[in-house]
Amino acid sequence: MTEQQLPVIVIGAGPAGLAAAAHLLEQGLEPLVLEAGPTAGSAVREWSHVRLFSTWGEVTDPAAEKLLAPTGWVKPDATTYPTGGDWVEQYLQPLADVLGEGVRVDATVTGVSRVGRDRIVDADRDKQPFVVHISTADGGEERIFARAVIDASGTWTTPSPAGGSGLPALGEQAAVDRITYRVPDLKDPEVRGRYAGKRTAVIGSGASAFTALAYLADLAKADDGTDTHGVWILRRGISGSTFGGGEADQLPARGALGLAAKAAVEGGYADAVTGFRTDTVERDADGRLILVGEDGQRLDPVDEVIVLTGFRPDLTFLDELRLGLDERLQAPVELAPLIDPNQHSCGTVYPHGHRELSHPEQGIYLVGMKSYGRAPTFLAMTGYEQVRSVAAAIAGDVEAADRVELTLPETGVCGGAGLFDEPDAAKNDSDGGGCCATPTTLQIGIGAPAASGGC
């Protein structure tokens, strides 16, 4: 086969990956989606109990909708908010079904390279097709050749640790029986029993931490949740920006998450511990966990710990490719300045496409959550615009690839990123200083808003 006859490999059958396949088909290209899990949307299924803060109108892709229309698929009410489970069952799985044999499950990508060229070799490199190695559920190995590769594998499988240094705290791995890195499903009786009547630490300061705190507060109010209590651990201080955009957020459900977390603290269902960076996790005589800070501060024992400190990309299987990644965020170098949570930001991330997502290795694109590296500011709409542009670029339609076809909602975000130890460093004030009327901050955690750009 000539390179033009080879498929475009898409890694990951999540929202961005399946949308990429739909756009590739629209461009007349053959996609092959490789999903490590047993079904499409495997990662989303793991948080099926969590409700999105984006509406149905913001989480379906236009090209995918066109692909689904002939099947009789009806888009859910655009003004309602799906759970992760709704998103999978009413959109992602039907889309995967339409793509049919274009989606392979139980296919884990273990390596991507150029045929006959490791990352060192220059000679005729760009003329060689990509080779993708996969492992299958039965232990088999395969190689597949591709004209281009779109990595939409996300970051779900690589959560960040509790340790304030970016490394697991000492004792963290040994205490994994009492630590989770996901928002627990407290409607599941077994999971509910794990947290009911217990003292639980929640480490993190973004939308996921807000959600966990709200869930624990609801449990504490229930008949079976007496004595349930949360300990919210933040690496910075509390200011007017701590609880997110609130009513200033044009995604109202996202703003409500911060307000729910604030209510949990003010209602006495959770205590806030600020300026605490976890260094060590110890056990007491009863097996409970004691968190020790970098400054030696020791917190009272807790029964459980929920770590929601963000995610990071798995780049190991791309090691033979020449990627251009920002040294801090591990995002493409042209995209990183738009999403860097260390920088002052207002409004939204500027809609971007193939140029910001390109690498020295032509034909490889990281899209979706993975494109943001360690930045926490991603929206599904951003991913759909990314893959539309990338598919057009692979097809050679540069005019369409360069076009901007997305308007993002305002985030209610202004000022620093919440990475500052001192609230004053974020330059937010209660009088609405800076460029935004309402002082808010970037949220750090799962599903946090897209929130960079000029003022």
Side-chain angles (χ1 to χ4, degrees), residues 4-60:
Q4 299 303 309
Q5 295 173 307
L6 293 174
V8 175
I9 296 295
V10 180
I11 305 173
L18 294 175
H23 282 280
L24 289 167
L25 285 172
E26 196 169 63
Q27 291 288 343
L29 302 175
E30 178 190 352
L32 177 59
V33 183
L34 302 176
E35 167 59 43
T39 64
S42 291
V44 178
R45 292 177 193 272
E46 292 190 27
W47 51 269
S48 60
H49 58 290
V50 177
R51 190 166 299 280
L52 281 72
F53 50 60
S54 295
T55 64
W56 270 114
E58 296 158 340
V59 297
T60 59

Side-chain angles (χ1 to χ4, degrees), residues 231-257:
V231 181
W232 187 20
I233 298 175
L234 301 98
R235 294 171 179 170
R236 66 179 192 273
I238 288 183
S239 70
S241 67
T242 299
F243 299 98
E247 295 179 359
D249 197 323
Q250 288 191 16
L251 293 178
R254 182 178 58 202
L257 286 177

Side-chain angles (χ1 to χ4, degrees), residues 9 25 57 77 106 169 173 181 189 196 223 290 297 301 354 439:
I9 296 295
L25 285 172
D77 183 347
D106 290 321
Q173 294 172 333
Y181 298 85
D223 292 340
I290 299 172
Q297 180 184 2
H354 73 111

Side-chain angles (χ1 to χ4, degrees), residues 27 34 43 73 80 101 128 136 144 225 240 243 263 321 329 361 368 376 399:
Q27 291 288 343
L34 302 176
W73 177 81
T80 60
E101 294 183 356
Q128 298 298 110
T136 57
I144 303 173
F243 299 98
L321 299 178
L329 297 184
E361 190 84 63
E399 181 180 354

Side-chain angles (χ1 to χ4, degrees), residues 386-439:
Q386 288 179 341
V387 298
R388 181 204 63 78
S389 173
V390 165
I394 294 172
D397 188 348
V398 178
E399 181 180 354
D402 285 341
R403 208 162 45 230
V404 174
E405 297 184 4
L406 173 67
T407 301
L408 290 168
E410 293 294 326
T411 63
V413 172
C414 178
L419 300 183
F420 301 98
D421 288 326
E422 298 299 329
D424 290 344
K427 297 181 181 178
N428 290 328
D429 60 62
S430 58
D431 297 323
C435 61
C436 300
T438 303

Side-chain angles (χ1 to χ4, degrees), residues 195 197-201 216 220 225-231 264 268-271:
Y195 295 94
K198 304 293 178 60
R199 180 178 168 86
T200 299
L216 290 172
T226 303
D227 294 328
T228 301
H229 195 77
V231 181
Y269 300 107
D271 299 320

